[in-house]
Amino acid sequence: MSDEETEVPGNKPIRLPKKAAKVKNKAPAPLQITAEQLLREAKERELELIPPAPKTKITDPDELKEYQRKKRKEFEDGIRKNRMQLANWIKYGKWEESIGEIQRARSVFERALDVDHRSISVWLQYAEMEMRCKQINHARNVFDRAITIMPRATQFWLKYSYMEEVIENIPGARQIFERWIEWEPPEQAWQTYINFELRYKEIDRARSVYQRFLHVHGINVQNWIKYAKFEERNGYVGNARAAYERAMEYFGEEGINETVLVAFALFEERQKEHERARAIFKYGLDNLPSNRTEEIFKHYTQHEKKFGERVGIEDVIISKRKTQYEKMVQENGYNYDAWFDYLRLLENESAEREEVEDVYERAIANVPPHAEKRYWRRYIYLWINYALYEELVAKDFERARQVYKACLDIIPHKIFTFAKIWILFAHFEIRQLDLNSARKILGVAIGKCPKDKLFRAYIDLELQLREFDRCRKLYEKFLESSPESSQTWIKFAELETLLGDTDRARAVFDIAVQQPALDMPELLWKAYIDFEIASEEHEKARELYETLLQRTNHIKVWISMAEFEQAIENFEGARKVYEKANQSLENADKGERLMLLEAWKECETKSGDEAALARVEAMMPRKVKKRRQIQTEDGVDAGWEEYFDYIFPQDQAAKGSFKLLEAAARWKKQREEAARAAQEAIDEAPKDEEKEEEDDVEKKKVREGDSDTDLSDSSSSSGSSSSSESSDSSDSEQSDGEE
């Protein structure tokens, strides 16, 4: 149905006008109509459609001719009104056909072709009319004219060949197909021709069509695969293999397609040629880029699982993993974890040395873009693994040395360094029996970047070689660079102790404890005290404890000193230490005080002095449960919580005496204030009498003096009196406030 026709339920299609009439009056209507009203009215009018007129039977020939004349006049009038409306021509021709006027129908279609000879629908309707009327030659004539005018119209060729096949004119149909493919039509036409030949079991003809088809549309891979499957399906295995080989030659090594390879390999697998299939899969993996080998890997793995051995399956899996790693490192060269996995795979599978070294070189070429150590931590292990591979696996010691040197050259030592590289390089030279080179490497490392780890590694090396003088020098340089390292001082003193030089060890400790800033002073002091105790210098150890207590009042120092006195069986001295500690820690944390008393109690238990033990037990605190209000971080009350507190007897006694002193101070202050208020009241009484006498004298002066003098005197006197009054009032207010 054309765009200009619409279907009305229960009636024939109604043709709408091609152009709507122009609106002459564009003024708004007095009564506005909404879209909802329009839709409702249209729905109502559908129910009011007039039924079609009843059918009439014509029995008179004259009446029939008159009816046909009127009908033809209607068609002719419609054509005259709109000559380019081809649907009217087709209706006209079909009507003439329906009344048996074939010649008139032909005339109508011919006139329509004069109007538009490139209308496919007119040609098809014309040919179908001839076929319905069994006018085969006329239909052939129409189709021949149509395909001559429009050879690219597929409908004509399909209808024409189908007509010849229906009337069993197989050579004629074949001739039509041959004429068609001379125009090199799309793939559908070739496939239709091939299917036509296959329907009549013409295998050779179909093969010939396929070969000509591939010359025209060989760029499509699926066409080669279809041809090969056609040969295989018909039992021509050699031809099928030749088709795949021709496809490989057609695309060449540069344009090789993975789909052809997979299809070729699966064909060989179906023919039980597993070695051929395996060779095809490997060829594809070796020659195709990694992003195009997923399907090949998939089918290769399935093939090996079905027909291969364990080694073959492992090879496939390894190849697949290699491809995956290659894809990952190509996407992001700074993905060092992918490089590590890739290299580990190659080393575990004993890959060729050239391949492993090539991957290592590609990996270390991705230098971190930022000069920050956190970006280099993973990267530096690529160099380490590279050097170890050259030394342990490849046995190429000179290349391993070059790797270490190249690594040290690339590290920005002025910003940061890696002590591990220097140490590994030195150990490598030692394994090569080149001690001087190892010492030189470590010396350069300490000179460029004096790190604690480098010093310790160098000192450990010299210790193993029993070069103690070198160790002393290294310790001295170490302490010059980092004098705050308590552990280094301790190690230096331990070295001197092992060598039997007690005086040097003591001197080292003396210098160490005098350092202004130490990272762990408690360890250093403990080591110094332990050294003196081990040397049985008890007095010096005691002096050290006292010196340390002058610097810190830590409970552990007190307990350690008391335990020292206990260890040498000086229980009286230990008791004195505990007493001093208890006095010193009166204002300390209650937990620390409790810890001290428990240690003291244990000491008295061991000494066996019951009186002293009872005294300590009397000092032990009482444990009580208390409640306190808790708050959140926002300051909102969050309820109450219970906690345990310790109440010491001496704190309670001190608290009671303190309250008594406070009450006495308040009573004394009240007595002093009352006495001061009484004295102020006594002092103010004579001042009031003197003031009254002065006022009387001033009044007499005012009366006796002249006007000018009186004014000045009165003003001055009034000012003085006002000032005295203000001062008196202020004094009275002050006294009232004091009272």
Side-chain angles (χ1 to χ4, degrees):
M1 186 179 294
S2 64
D3 295 339
E4 298 178 356
E5 294 178 358
T6 182
E7 186 72 25
V8 178
N11 287 311
K12 293 182 180 179
I14 299 174
R15 186 170 62 83
L16 299 176
K18 193 167 186 180
K19 283 187 179 180
K22 291 184 179 180
V23 179
K24 296 180 180 179
N25 185 9
K26 295 184 179 181
L31 181 63
Q32 296 294 320
I33 301 173
T34 62
E36 183 181 1
Q37 289 174 330
L38 291 173
L39 291 173
R40 187 171 63 250
E41 289 178 6
K43 200 70 177 173
E44 290 173 355
R45 287 180 180 180
E46 285 182 5
L47 302 176
E48 298 174 1
L49 290 176
I50 301 171
K55 292 183 179 180
T56 57
K57 292 183 180 180
I58 300 173
T59 57
D60 187 26
D62 295 334
E63 186 179 358
L64 176 61
K65 288 180 181 180
E66 182 63 22
Y67 168 74
Q68 290 175 353
R69 186 188 66 77
K70 288 181 180 180
K71 197 71 173 173
R72 285 192 185 98
K73 186 176 183 303
E74 290 177 4
F75 279 119
E76 291 293 342
D77 291 342
I79 290 170
R80 260 196 311 276
K81 289 178 182 177
N82 193 354
R83 189 165 177 269
M84 300 303 295
Q85 186 68 26
L86 296 178
N88 293 338
W89 292 101
I90 293 172
K91 289 178 183 177
Y92 191 7
K94 285 185 175 181
W95 181 79
E96 293 290 357
E97 178 193 356
S98 65
I99 63 174
E101 295 288 344
I102 305 301
Q103 290 296 333
R104 287 180 175 274
R106 286 196 189 105
S107 175
V108 171
F109 279 114
E110 290 293 340
R111 289 167 61 195
L113 291 175
D114 288 339
V115 173
D116 186 5
H117 67 282
R118 301 194 66 82
S119 175
I120 295 176
S121 59
V122 174
W123 284 106
L124 288 177
Q125 293 291 341
Y126 190 6
E128 286 175 359
M129 183 203 72
E130 298 290 0
M131 287 190 287
R132 283 194 297 271
C133 297
K134 296 183 173 52
Q135 301 294 321
I136 302 301
N137 289 328
H138 282 281
R140 286 192 183 115
N141 185 15
V142 172
F143 276 124
D144 284 334
R145 291 164 61 195
I147 61 178
T148 302
I149 295 172
M150 290 178 286
R152 296 295 177 186
T154 307
Q155 298 96 317
F156 297 152
W157 297 102
L158 290 174
K159 289 275 187 181
Y160 195 5
S161 60
Y162 179 68
M163 182 191 74
E164 296 293 352
E165 190 175 358
V166 166
I167 63 176
E168 297 182 357
N169 184 14
I170 306 304
R174 186 175 290 116
Q175 186 180 6
I176 294 167
F177 278 117
E178 289 292 337
R179 290 173 61 189
W180 190 7
I181 63 175
E182 286 179 0
W183 289 94
E184 296 183 358
E187 296 178 7
Q188 178 192 359
W190 296 88
Q191 198 62 47
T192 306
Y193 189 11
I194 292 167
N195 293 336
F196 166 76
E197 297 292 356
L198 291 176
R199 281 198 295 273
Y200 298 100
K201 310 299 180 186
E202 296 288 346
I203 305 299
D204 294 334
R205 290 180 179 274
R207 182 181 296 113
S208 174
V209 176
Y210 255 125
Q211 291 173 357
R212 293 157 63 190
F213 172 40
L214 292 175
H215 279 292
V216 178
H217 295 286
I219 194 68
N220 190 349
V221 177
Q222 296 298 329
N223 296 334
W224 292 95
I225 297 173
K226 287 179 182 178
Y227 176 41
K229 287 184 177 180
F230 157 76
E231 296 288 2
E232 182 184 2
R233 197 164 46 246
N234 290 283
Y236 298 97
V237 177
N239 290 347
R241 185 175 288 116
Y244 282 118
E245 291 173 355
R246 282 178 57 197
M248 300 283 288
E249 293 175 1
Y250 180 84
F251 290 104
E253 293 185 358
E254 295 180 357
I256 188 171
N257 192 285
E258 61 271 19
T259 309
V260 176
L261 286 172
V262 171
F264 194 5
L266 293 178
F267 163 75
E268 297 292 354
E269 181 182 317
R270 289 192 294 271
Q271 304 307 319
K272 312 298 182 187
E273 295 286 347
H274 302 305
E275 289 300 325
R276 282 176 173 269
R278 191 174 291 112
I280 293 167
F281 281 128
K282 289 182 178 179
Y283 175 79
L285 294 176
D286 294 338
N287 291 276
L288 283 174
S290 58
N291 59 346
R292 295 170 55 192
T293 56
E294 293 182 4
E295 286 296 319
I296 297 177
F297 270 123
K298 176 183 174 182
H299 291 90
Y300 190 15
T301 307
Q302 293 175 357
H303 175 268
E304 291 296 335
K305 286 180 179 178
K306 289 189 289 187
F307 306 106
E309 298 177 354
R310 181 176 180 180
V311 177
I313 298 172
E314 290 178 354
D315 290 341
V316 175
I317 295 171
I318 291 167
S319 300
K320 186 174 183 179
R321 289 174 62 189
K322 282 183 185 178
T323 306
Q324 292 173 350
Y325 290 138
E326 282 288 345
K327 183 178 180 181
M328 291 170 67
V329 298
Q330 285 176 5
E331 290 176 355
N332 183 10
Y334 298 108
N335 186 2
Y336 299 124
D337 291 332
W339 286 110
F340 284 126
D341 295 338
Y342 192 6
L343 291 164
R344 193 179 300 115
L345 172 67
L346 295 177
E347 292 180 18
N348 291 340
E349 299 303 326
S350 303
E352 295 293 331
R353 178 184 171 187
E354 291 78 7
E355 184 180 1
V356 178
E357 288 179 350
D358 178 64
V359 176
Y360 267 119
E361 292 292 339
R362 289 166 54 201
I364 61 178
N366 297 286
V367 182
H370 304 288
E372 295 182 28
K373 193 168 184 177
R374 60 193 179 100
Y375 295 111
W376 288 64
R377 293 188 189 278
R378 295 291 291 164
Y379 169 72
I380 209 67
Y381 278 97
L382 289 171
W383 288 94
I384 294 172
N385 291 349
Y386 190 10
L388 293 176
Y389 172 79
E390 294 293 347
E391 180 187 359
L392 302 177
V393 180
K395 305 295 182 183
D396 191 344
F397 305 115
E398 185 59 33
R399 188 175 178 86
R401 185 177 289 111
Q402 292 174 2
V403 171
Y404 278 119
K405 289 180 180 179
C407 179
L408 291 173
D409 291 339
I410 203 172
I411 297 173
H413 299 289
K414 292 183 179 180
I415 303 174
F416 60 86
T417 189
F418 289 94
K420 186 184 291 292
I421 295 293
W422 295 100
I423 296 168
L424 288 174
F425 193 11
H427 289 173
F428 165 76
E429 294 294 354
I430 291 171
R431 288 193 293 273
Q432 306 309 314
L433 306 178
D434 192 351
L435 182 60
N436 291 329
S437 297
R439 282 176 174 159
K440 186 177 179 182
I441 290 165
L442 291 174
V444 172
I446 291 171
K448 283 187 175 182
C449 35
K451 292 185 68 176
D452 295 355
K453 193 173 182 180
L454 291 170
F455 275 109
R456 292 193 184 99
Y458 200 177
I459 291 168
D460 290 341
L461 173 62
E462 298 296 349
L463 276 176
Q464 292 175 8
L465 298 172
R466 300 296 186 266
E467 293 287 346
F468 300 114
D469 292 334
R470 288 179 177 271
C471 290
R472 286 193 179 102
K473 292 179 181 178
L474 287 171
Y475 269 121
E476 291 172 2
K477 291 183 179 179
F478 191 3
L479 292 171
E480 286 176 4
S481 65
S482 56
E484 72 282 353
S485 176
S486 302
Q487 199 68 35
T488 307
W489 289 103
I490 295 169
K491 292 289 184 182
F492 192 8
E494 286 179 357
L495 173 65
E496 298 295 351
T497 305
L498 289 174
L499 297 176
D501 197 340
T502 308
D503 295 334
R504 288 179 68 94
R506 186 174 289 112
V508 170
F509 275 122
D510 285 336
I511 297 171
V513 296
Q514 293 173 9
Q515 297 299 316
L518 292 169
D519 53 359
M520 291 184 290
E522 64 278 1
L523 290 181
L524 182 61
W525 280 96
K526 185 178 185 303
Y528 194 3
I529 293 169
D530 291 343
F531 164 74
E532 295 294 356
I533 294 172
S535 303
E536 298 182 356
E537 296 288 344
H538 298 156
E539 286 299 326
K540 291 184 178 180
R542 193 173 289 112
E543 291 175 2
L544 286 174
Y545 270 120
E546 292 175 356
T547 306
L548 180 58
L549 286 171
Q550 291 175 2
R551 299 189 178 189
T552 180
N553 195 31
H554 202 277
I555 184 173
K556 290 186 177 180
V557 180
W558 288 106
I559 294 174
S560 177
M561 185 176 180
E563 289 176 351
F564 158 70
E565 297 290 352
Q566 276 183 264
I568 61 176
E569 298 182 354
N570 184 10
F571 294 106
E572 188 62 30
R575 189 175 293 113
K576 290 180 181 179
V577 171
Y578 279 122
E579 289 176 354
K580 288 182 182 178
N582 192 27
Q583 293 175 2
S584 177
L585 297 172
E586 279 186 356
N587 298 323
D589 184 60
K590 293 183 178 181
E592 293 183 358
R593 295 172 65 186
L594 178 61
M595 191 188 306
L596 179 69
L597 290 174
E598 288 177 349
W600 191 359
K601 182 179 178 181
E602 186 178 354
C603 172
E604 297 297 350
T605 304
K606 290 181 181 178
S607 66
D609 192 343
E610 295 181 358
L613 179 61
R615 181 186 170 202
V616 175
E617 288 178 348
M619 296 180 187
M620 295 297 288
R622 182 163 51 90
K623 187 177 181 181
V624 295
K625 184 186 290 186
K626 292 185 178 181
R627 295 178 66 201
R628 60 186 171 195
Q629 193 173 10
I630 57 175
Q631 292 182 342
T632 60
E633 295 179 356
D634 301 335
V636 181
D637 293 339
W640 296 79
E641 68 172 356
E642 293 184 350
Y643 70 99
F644 290 100
D645 194 9
Y646 297 96
I647 300 175
F648 291 85
Q650 56 188 3
D651 291 350
Q652 278 189 324
K655 189 175 182 181
S657 60
F658 181 70
K659 286 183 177 179
L660 182 61
L661 290 173
E662 280 185 346
R666 285 198 301 272
W667 177 78
K668 184 178 179 181
K669 186 177 180 181
Q670 290 175 359
R671 291 293 301 274
E672 289 176 354
E673 289 178 354
R676 187 168 55 252
Q679 185 65 34
E680 288 177 353
I682 293 169
D683 294 340
E684 287 177 358
K687 286 182 181 179
D688 294 339
E689 294 176 358
E690 293 175 359
K691 184 178 178 183
E692 291 176 359
E693 293 176 357
E694 290 176 359
D695 291 341
D696 294 338
V697 173
E698 291 294 333
K699 288 178 181 179
K700 291 178 180 179
K701 287 181 179 179
V702 168
R703 287 194 298 270
E704 293 174 357
D706 56 6
S707 61
D708 296 335
T709 307
D710 291 343
L711 286 171
S712 63
D713 292 342
S714 64
S715 62
S716 62
S717 64
S718 65
S720 63
S721 64
S722 63
S723 63
S724 64
E725 288 175 2
S726 64
S727 64
D728 293 340
S729 63
S730 64
D731 292 339
S732 64
E733 288 175 0
Q734 184 176 0
S735 63
D736 293 340
E738 289 176 355
E739 289 176 2

